[in-house]
Amino acid sequence: MKSRSKQIRFDWYECDMPKSPTLCECHSWEEFLFACLLESDPSIVSYETQAPPIRYLKDSRSLTYRPDIYAKKTNGQNFIAEVKPEAVCSQDFPWISAVNQWAETHGASFRFITNESVDDNAFLALNWFRITRYIQAARDEPLEGLLETAEEALRQAKSLTVGAFTAMFSASPEHVQHAVPCHLLHFGIASAPLADEPYRHSLVLSAV
């Protein structure tokens, strides 16, 4: 019989994400999609997966619970999220009391995120995963001046296509060209109908 560690590898996702200071480690498809959705939310400052470790007791044994997500928000309303099928969210998990106590001590809250609600937003999440790849590809590039120019152009024009931004910075390396509009979306400077349209050159970004 295969070990559990090998059995779950088919549904295990690891990657670097812009808002996660550590490697993003997701143990289900829906956890991965939810991490992508956090990238889409300008109110999320950062998040970690499988952290923080929280001790709890079960049958007199001391065990460790590692949350799927711990997210920090701009307004300080940080939260721990557990992503699970809706059918099991009402179960009395042995770690819930310890998690709620940890959250209260640290000024946070605990919530379940249902797989179904995440799956309903899969198109948006996958668009954002693509956007994060462009951002990560240029993470070591000095983009400040380009972003200022792009933001000013967007505010004057009110809306521009992704292709307009890449053309605007055609003298820069291709990965930098693509990173600029993605950063505008990531910072909440621009918006786009990413729940309905794929991220591509013809996608229209609007000033926020």
Side-chain angles (χ1 to χ4, degrees), residues 107-185:
S109 61
F110 170 73
R111 66 187 67 171
F112 280 107
I113 304 296
T114 67
N115 285 4
E116 292 80 1
S117 67
V118 174
D119 288 335
D120 285 344
N121 291 284
F123 190 90
L124 174 63
L126 290 174
N127 262 336
W128 270 95
F129 181 61
R130 184 178 184 185
I131 289 168
T132 64
R133 297 310 87 199
Y134 287 128
I135 292 173
Q136 290 298 96
R139 62 184 174 183
D140 296 323
E141 300 286 350
L143 299 178
E144 290 80 3
L146 300 183
L147 291 175
E148 290 177 4
T149 300
E151 181 178 357
E152 180 60 27
L154 179 62
R155 297 205 182 282
Q156 290 185 4
K158 306 299 183 184
S159 62
L160 290 169
T161 64
V162 170
F165 287 107
T166 57
M168 191 183 306
F169 303 109
S170 58
S172 299
E174 186 175 0
H175 68 287
V176 172
Q177 297 174 29
H178 285 288
V180 170
C182 292
H183 274 286
L184 296 182
L185 290 166

Side-chain angles (χ1 to χ4, degrees), residues 178-200:
H178 285 288
V180 170
C182 292
H183 274 286
L184 296 182
L185 290 166
H186 204 231
F187 293 147
I189 296 169
S191 64
L194 291 166
D196 305 303
E197 297 183 31
Y199 185 86
R200 55 189 174 187

